[in-house]
Amino acid sequence: MHQTGLPNTRTGTGSESDTYSTDTRADTARSRFPLRLPLHAHSPLVAYPLALAIGVILGASGPLLLATDAPFGQVAHLTLSAGWSWAALAYFVGMAGGSKRRSAATGTLALMSAVCVYYATKAQQGAYLAADLSDPTGQATQFDWDGFISKTLLWCVFALLLGPLLGAAGNLSRNSAYRFPGRLVIPLVVIVETTMRLGAEADLQGSLTTTTWSATRAAAIAALIAVAVLAALDSRRRRRPGA
C-alpha cells in the first residue's frame, strides 16, 4: 500500500530528463550561431526559380542603372556590376539550396542567368554596335556578334567553374562544421577586389567611385570582424562544462 501511494518518481524523472535534454540541445544550437531558413526555401520548386529570378534581376540591374545620372544610381551600378556582388549572388542563393549538391546547382544557375541577361541588356543598349565596313559612307552600323558571343561564353565558363564552389560555400556557411570559415568568403572577396580597384581605378573615375569602394571595403572589414567575434564566442561557449 505504501508503494502504491508513492509518487511515480521514475516517470517524473524521465520527463524532466527529456525536458532538460531538449533545452540543452536548443541552447547548444543557439550558441553555435546557425543560420536557419524557412523550410520551404529548401524545396526545389522554390530554390531553382528563385535562383533564376535573382540572377535575372542582378544581371539586368547593372547595365540599366548605368543610364541614370543620379548619384544613387551610379553607386548602385558600381556595386551591382562588381565581381564581389556576383560572387555574393551565387553564395547567398546557395544558402537556400538545402543540400550541397542543390546549392552548387542553384549557385551556378543564378550566375549563368545573370551573365546571359547582363550581356543581353548591354546589347539592347547598343554596346555591341560596330561600324559596317562594307558601307562606303561609314555611317551604317552592324551588330558585333563575335564580341557579344565571345564575352558571353567566356563569363558563362567562369560561372560554370565558380558557381558550384560559391553555392557550396553558401551551404556550408549556414550550419555545418565549417560555417565560420564559410562566412569569411564574401567579406574576403570584397576586401581583395575593392583594394585592387582603389589602387588601380579609383583615381581615374572620380570621388564617387573612391567613396563607394572605400565604404564597401569598410563594411566588409566590419563583417569580417563580426564573424571572428561570433566564432570566438561560439568556441568559448562550447568549452563550458555541460555545453
Side-chain angles (χ1 to χ4, degrees), residues 87-174:
L89 165 68
Y91 179 89
F92 286 113
V93 165
M95 289 179 63
S99 66
K100 295 182 181 66
R101 181 176 298 179
R102 189 179 300 157
S103 294
T106 53
T108 304
L109 176 62
L111 277 184
M112 291 285 290
S113 61
V115 167
C116 293
V117 172
Y118 176 85
Y119 284 105
T121 304
K122 287 182 70 70
Q124 191 275 333
Q125 292 176 325
Y128 291 97
L129 289 179
D132 186 357
L133 300 180
S134 63
D135 179 24
T137 66
Q139 297 180 352
T141 59
Q142 62 182 358
F143 190 79
D144 182 13
W145 283 104
D146 290 341
F148 173 74
I149 293 175
S150 62
K151 285 192 175 181
T152 303
L153 289 179
L154 174 64
W155 286 104
C156 280
V157 170
F158 280 113
L160 287 172
L161 294 174
L162 298 177
L165 298 177
L166 292 165
N171 182 282
L172 292 174
S173 71
R174 196 171 65 244

Side-chain angles (χ1 to χ4, degrees), residues 136-221:
T137 66
Q139 297 180 352
T141 59
Q142 62 182 358
F143 190 79
D144 182 13
W145 283 104
D146 290 341
F148 173 74
I149 293 175
S150 62
K151 285 192 175 181
T152 303
L153 289 179
L154 174 64
W155 286 104
C156 280
V157 170
F158 280 113
L160 287 172
L161 294 174
L162 298 177
L165 298 177
L166 292 165
N171 182 282
L172 292 174
S173 71
R174 196 171 65 244
N175 53 17
S176 73
Y178 304 101
R179 59 194 173 280
F180 288 115
R183 293 173 192 176
L184 298 175
V185 171
I186 298 304
L188 287 175
V189 171
V190 174
I191 292 171
V192 170
E193 182 180 0
T194 51
T195 299
M196 292 175 61
R197 288 183 179 273
L198 283 168
E201 301 178 12
D203 292 339
L204 302 176
Q205 298 189 20
S207 60
L208 182 62
T209 300
T210 301
T211 302
T212 300
W213 294 136
S214 298
T216 303
R217 183 171 63 177
I221 293 172

